[in-house]
Amino acid sequence: MIRGSCLCGDVTFEVHGDISQPVACHCGQCRRQSGHFWASSSVPDDRLHITRDDGLTWYSSSDIARRGFCKTCGAFLFWKHNEETKTSFSMGALAAPTGAKLGRHIFVDDKGDYYDITDGLPQSGL
Ligand SMILES: [Zn+2]
Ligand SMILES: [Zn+2]
């Protein structure tokens, strides 16, 4: 089990069991919400336990998905497709050791122009 938290502690969660290999999303929405690109993993909803939700707020970022963040400290924590029973969560929110390694980059066609991706991991445009 891995524990995660926002910056201030008003949102805490636990991820039980294995997590999917983390991906870095370079889409404009993730960049604007996170401040750079967003590294996340995902789990089936029944293995994600939100243990404190005092600060948790959901923002509908499009017709198909919503984004969970802490309204107290601003931490971006979750991404959830409205019709899927799994949730993506921020790798940066997790306590170490995570036991995970970044696997690939997605939405690189939408990435910022101020950095290059040089780690050699697979990239996909969308
Ligand atoms: Zn917080
Ligand atoms: Zn994204």
Side-chain angles (χ1 to χ4, degrees):
M1 187 267 284
I2 305 174
R3 285 198 167 82
S5 160
C6 68
L7 180 58
C8 74
D10 277 0
V11 183
T12 60
F13 62 94
E14 297 173 354
V15 180
H16 292 258
D18 293 335
I19 63 174
S20 66
Q21 189 168 41
V23 300
C25 184
H26 298 259
C27 83
Q29 291 191 353
C30 286
R31 291 194 297 109
R32 284 187 177 83
Q33 190 164 21
S34 71
H36 193 27
F37 58 84
W38 188 53
S40 69
S41 174
S42 66
V43 282
D45 290 340
D46 60 359
R47 293 203 277 112
L48 174 68
H49 300 175
I50 296 176
T51 44
R52 187 171 177 198
D53 67 354
D54 297 2
L56 185 58
T57 304
W58 290 93
Y59 167 63
S60 294
S61 51
S62 71
D63 290 342
I64 61 155
R66 57 192 189 268
R67 290 163 177 268
F69 65 97
C70 175
K71 68 180 181 219
T72 307
C73 69
F76 170 25
L77 297 167
F78 304 118
W79 183 91
K80 185 155 180 49
H81 191 289
N82 292 332
E83 285 163 15
E84 290 180 357
T85 56
K86 63 181 183 179
T87 301
S88 297
F89 53 89
S90 295
M91 289 303 294
L94 301 181
T98 64
K101 282 280 180 228
L102 195 66
R104 62 199 166 90
H105 298 272
I106 61 173
F107 286 95
V108 299
D109 287 352
D110 212 10
K111 83 171 191 57
D113 62 1
Y114 61 93
Y115 61 93
D116 297 313
I117 302 169
T118 58
D119 56 17
L121 294 174
Q123 301 182 17
S124 57
L126 296 175

